[in-house]
Amino acid sequence: GAGVSQTPSNKVTEKGKYVELRCDPISGHTALYWYRQSLGQGPEFLIYFQGTGAADDSGLPNDRFFAVRPEGSVSTLKIQRTERGDSAMYLCASSLGDLSYNEQFFGPGTRLTVL
Amino acid sequence: QQQVKQSPQSLIVQKGGISIINCAYENTAFDYFPWYQQFPGKGPALLIAIRPDVSEKKEGRFTISFNKSAKQFSLHIMDSQPGDSATYFCAAKWGSNYKLTFGKGTLLTVNP
């Protein structure tokens, strides 16, 4: 079956602009996660959804970042007033549930470059 | 504070050799330790995982060794192949906590 998909694969924007990154999880997966991966680093947790609600957004760096999952499937990560420091790979993952041993399946990521 | 420390940062191995990557953790509540493999332009993919009630887990050429008292775990890749060239991340998670805490990664190059 299809894995996690993310669009766009690459996004180049100018400082101060608004961007939206989309994630399509594996069908039937109720849990969805966003991570950010800077160059040479491991992924860092941003936000977690169980169903439609954001169960934990403690990893969002500031209030310029926001994410939604209105119907419990597709999620959109929104970044306002982008800064050069926002440049990174944004990864989405999904899992059947949020139990400790539920495997998180990652998408290919969206590489965001802020000029 | 980095909760999972990974070494080495990069590793070069000859084809057929053994690749060893080490990780150390600080949070004793961690109870699930996966290793992820990431190829350029791709997201991380689960390779193998272990729980702290066993000291070793083997799947094909990949083995995790776990030392609970030392709070360390390692990935061994036997008979390394050029196709294994990728970045490897160790990670940890605890209880009902869903967040994966990753190490910084190891870039493995297997020369033919």
Side-chain angles (χ1 to χ4, degrees):
Chain A
V4 177
S5 62
Q6 293 185 245
T7 54
S9 55
N10 282 284
K11 177 70 177 178
V12 180
T13 190
E14 294 179 344
K15 180 176 179 292
K17 299 290 188 182
Y18 168 83
V19 296
E20 289 189 351
L21 312 179
R22 176 187 168 109
C23 172
D24 278 271
I26 293 173
S27 178
H29 281 193
T30 60
L32 185 146
Y33 316 80
W34 284 97
Y35 291 83
R36 180 166 71 172
Q37 185 176 19
S38 300
L39 202 60
Q41 303 291 318
E44 293 182 321
F45 171 82
L46 294 178
I47 186 170
Y48 155 67
F49 288 90
Q50 180 58 260
T52 61
D56 183 351
D57 64 358
S58 62
L60 295 178
N62 51 61
D63 61 5
R64 296 186 298 104
F65 288 75
F66 188 71
V68 295
R69 194 186 185 199
E71 297 179 357
S73 179
V74 170
S75 176
T76 304
L77 178 65
K78 308 180 180 192
I79 310 174
Q80 298 177 324
R81 304 183 304 279
T82 52
E83 300 178 357
R84 292 193 179 87
D86 299 336
S87 296
M89 176 74 83
Y90 289 82
L91 294 165
C92 176
S94 69
S95 65
L96 272 174
D98 61 359
L99 294 177
S100 179
Y101 311 133
N102 284 146
E103 179 180 350
Q104 294 184 21
F105 294 85
F106 283 82
T110 293
R111 179 163 296 285
L112 175 66
T113 302
V114 182
L115 302 176
Chain B
Q1 186 181 19
Q2 187 183 357
Q3 294 200 58
V4 179
K5 295 184 179 179
Q6 184 172 348
S7 63
Q9 187 174 355
S10 63
L11 179 63
I12 299 175
V13 174
Q14 292 300 117
K15 179 182 176 182
I18 302 174
S19 304
I20 302 174
I21 305 170
N22 301 298
C23 281
Y25 62 97
E26 298 168 4
N27 186 348
T28 55
F30 285 143
D31 63 358
Y32 177 68
F33 302 89
W35 284 90
Y36 282 82
Q37 180 187 55
Q38 186 175 30
F39 293 104
K42 304 288 187 181
L46 180 66
L47 191 62
I48 185 173
I50 197 168
R51 304 176 194 179
D53 53 345
V54 297
S55 60
E56 186 175 282
K57 182 175 181 179
K58 183 176 181 179
E59 291 184 0
R61 297 185 293 109
F62 302 91
T63 300
I64 300 179
S65 297
F66 185 82
N67 186 328
K68 188 174 182 178
S69 61
K71 295 188 288 185
Q72 295 175 346
F73 58 110
S74 60
L75 175 69
H76 296 234
I77 306 175
M78 310 299 288
D79 187 27
S80 299
Q81 299 296 312
D84 296 331
S85 297
T87 300
Y88 291 80
F89 293 95
C90 61
K93 201 160 75 157
W94 58 271
S96 60
N97 191 307
Y98 33 78
K99 302 176 190 179
L100 282 166
T101 299
F102 285 87
K104 290 191 173 183
T106 297
L107 177 61
L108 172 65
T109 302
V110 181
N111 289 328

